[in-house]
Amino acid sequence: MPRIYLSPPHMGPDERGLLLDAFDSNWVAPLGPHVDAFERELASFIGIGHAAALSSGTAALHLALLLVGVKPGDTVLTSTLTFAATANAITYAGATPVFIDADETTWNMSPALLAEELESAVAQGKRPAAVLVVDLYGQCADWDPIAAACARHGVPLIEDAAEALGATYRGRAAGTFGDVAAFSFNGNKIITTAGGGMLVSQRGDLVERARFLATQARDPAPHYEHSTIGYNYRLSNLLAAVGRGQLRVLGERVRQRRAIRARYRAALADTPGIAFPTEAAYGESNAWLTCIHVDANEFGATPAGIRKHLEARDIESRPLWKPMHLQPVFRHCRVVGGTVAAGLFATGLCLPSGSSLTPADLQLVVETLKSTPRDQPRAR
Ligand SMILES: Cc1ncc(COP(=O)(O)O)c(C=O)c1O
């Protein structure tokens, strides 16, 4: 039996054809017609004015922070329950993250805690330079109260939509909520270019600036003239070609991942100690990863026990992101709350969720999970 991965790439014939077209055209460079077309097509898919294709989601976050004016010595409020790239990008800009706890139901940043922290930081004359909010595991954050709090205090808002391409919030697409947003096309994402990212904004001037910074900040001159520090962050034309093919099937990929989550729910509905987070009523998740809550007392084994048992049968599962405020590298950073994210980390598990997962694979995951040896004292 081949290994069942958490979220492997899922390619089709269009991707191959477009990649070969890019190769044969000799546009083998971090610019070219596929890069331009990928930007236009993604912007039009999510309904936003402008997009710049970049080498990674992390690069997009780094540039987003620079574009809204984050400077060394600043603070940036961000989600504690996220992948390290979110917080790392803040440090690349020379700023320090302040971590905000998650909401228990959506797992995304708590809008109430964010509003409180903004209020008290501004009252102390320590206005943060930006707020960077993650759409976790494919579900949008609760953008209305978050955007209102940022607007009230005049703080720029950045959306880390790396995991949420194809998701919606009150009928609007993920990636359209901040002043600037970032997507990732890393190999594990809902669509992938092996590695890549996209910076999007309604503001053409910001996206133009992102392209300038991403191509070593070359001033207009026939020779190489530089008055700003730049980066080498553009996406390859070959990879953009793959991205265009993937974008064509994005709607289908979202439906497939949502169907997988629904099947897991149905198959595990009667398993004591296993629960699923409820989808927020305000939108549609892209169901990038299906995650479960494990009550170790009730189920009889811990999430770690389940993970090891799945692994022994060559099935990949993963703990939830370890919150940033618990990471040694961010130990010195302030955290607002933190117990919700820590609790989710202790009880959560991400199951194989790739859109190419077959019903038979899913059945095997479920049966293996259910057969985990019970070594915890049961509550009842
Ligand atoms: C929430 C989040 N932000 C940022 C990133 C970084 O994206 P990339 O790997 O394309 O740099 C990822 C995933 O990789 C992510 O999950």
Side-chain angles (χ1 to χ4, degrees):
M1 289 286 283
R3 180 167 172 77
I4 298 179
Y5 288 98
L6 191 75
S7 182
H10 186 177
M11 292 291 146
D14 278 11
E15 288 83 329
R16 191 167 188 278
L18 287 157
L19 175 63
L20 291 175
D21 174 78
F23 186 88
D24 292 342
S25 72
N26 208 35
W27 278 101
V28 184
L31 80 169
H34 286 289
V35 173
D36 300 342
F38 189 32
E39 290 174 345
R40 280 196 308 274
E41 288 162 7
L42 185 128
S44 136
F45 187 93
I46 66 164
I48 204 161
H50 307 273
L54 301 173
S55 53
S56 70
T58 312
L61 288 173
H62 181 194
L63 294 186
L65 289 155
L66 299 181
L67 292 173
V68 302
V70 174
K71 293 184 300 303
D74 285 341
T75 57
V76 174
L77 310 190
T78 195
S79 317
T80 190
L81 191 57
T82 184
F83 179 53
T86 317
N88 284 345
I90 294 170
T91 69
Y92 300 168
T96 304
V98 170
F99 297 114
I100 311 282
D101 205 356
D103 173 273
E104 222 152 338
T105 50
T106 68
W107 298 11
N108 278 306
M109 183 191 283
S110 158
L113 287 184
L114 171 69
E116 270 172 38
E117 179 62 16
L118 273 174
E119 198 83 39
S120 85
V122 170
Q124 292 169 51
K126 296 182 190 159
R127 184 192 308 270
V131 169
L132 169 49
V133 180
V134 179
D135 295 319
L136 199 74
Y137 294 124
Q139 172 161 267
C140 282
D142 192 357
W143 286 106
D144 284 349
I146 288 171
C150 289
R152 206 158 46 240
H153 298 290
V155 178
L157 178 57
I158 300 169
E159 179 177 4
D160 181 348
E163 303 173 359
L165 182 60
T168 60
Y169 174 82
R170 302 198 190 286
R172 267 172 70 187
T176 61
F177 295 99
D179 296 285
V180 188
F183 289 110
S184 165
F185 310 118
N186 186 32
N188 63 358
K189 295 296 183 289
I190 190 156
I191 65 168
T192 181
T193 59
M198 192 79 78
L199 179 146
V200 298
S201 176
Q202 210 50 273
R203 282 182 52 189
D205 60 323
L206 292 185
V207 174
E208 212 30 65
R209 178 88 184 153
R211 285 202 191 92
F212 167 76
L213 291 174
T215 45
Q216 304 287 20
R218 286 177 58 189
D219 293 339
H223 59 278
Y224 289 93
E225 180 80 9
H226 303 274
S227 45
T228 308
I229 298 294
Y231 305 88
N232 182 5
Y233 276 174
R234 280 295 255 168
L235 184 69
S236 152
N237 192 58
L238 298 179
L239 302 183
V242 175
R244 292 183 69 197
Q246 288 269 275
L247 198 55
R248 291 180 190 170
V249 291
L250 175 59
E252 192 184 330
R253 297 290 178 262
V254 172
R255 281 191 293 281
Q256 287 164 326
R257 292 211 186 222
R258 288 183 62 85
I260 284 164
R261 194 176 63 180
R263 270 191 230 120
Y264 273 126
R265 266 182 190 280
L268 291 165
D270 299 331
T271 307
I274 302 293
F276 291 80
T278 43
E279 183 167 11
Y282 56 57
E284 253 199 16
S285 161
N286 71 3
W288 172 53
L289 293 185
T290 294
C291 307
I292 54 171
H293 261 304
V294 182
D295 180 327
N297 283 328
E298 219 180 318
F299 180 72
T302 60
I306 297 174
R307 190 181 58 72
K308 284 187 202 133
H309 185 65
L310 291 171
E311 190 54 50
R313 276 143 192 82
D314 231 359
I315 298 170
E316 186 184 21
S317 63
R318 287 279 176 96
L320 265 57
W321 301 129
K322 180 173 178 180
M324 290 304 111
H325 74 277
L326 300 179
Q327 299 288 355
V329 71
F330 294 119
R331 196 178 292 141
H332 59 289
C333 298
R334 183 173 145 67
V335 57
V336 181
T339 52
V340 173
L344 290 169
F345 172 60
T347 58
L349 190 69
C350 305
L351 300 178
S353 309
S355 42
S356 52
L357 193 77
T358 65
D361 288 340
L362 190 140
Q363 197 51 36
L364 183 66
V365 175
V366 166
E367 275 160 22
T368 311
L369 188 157
K370 285 182 172 175
S371 71
T372 304
R374 307 305 207 261
D375 51 9
Q376 293 284 311
R378 277 171 184 266
R380 61 191 113 113

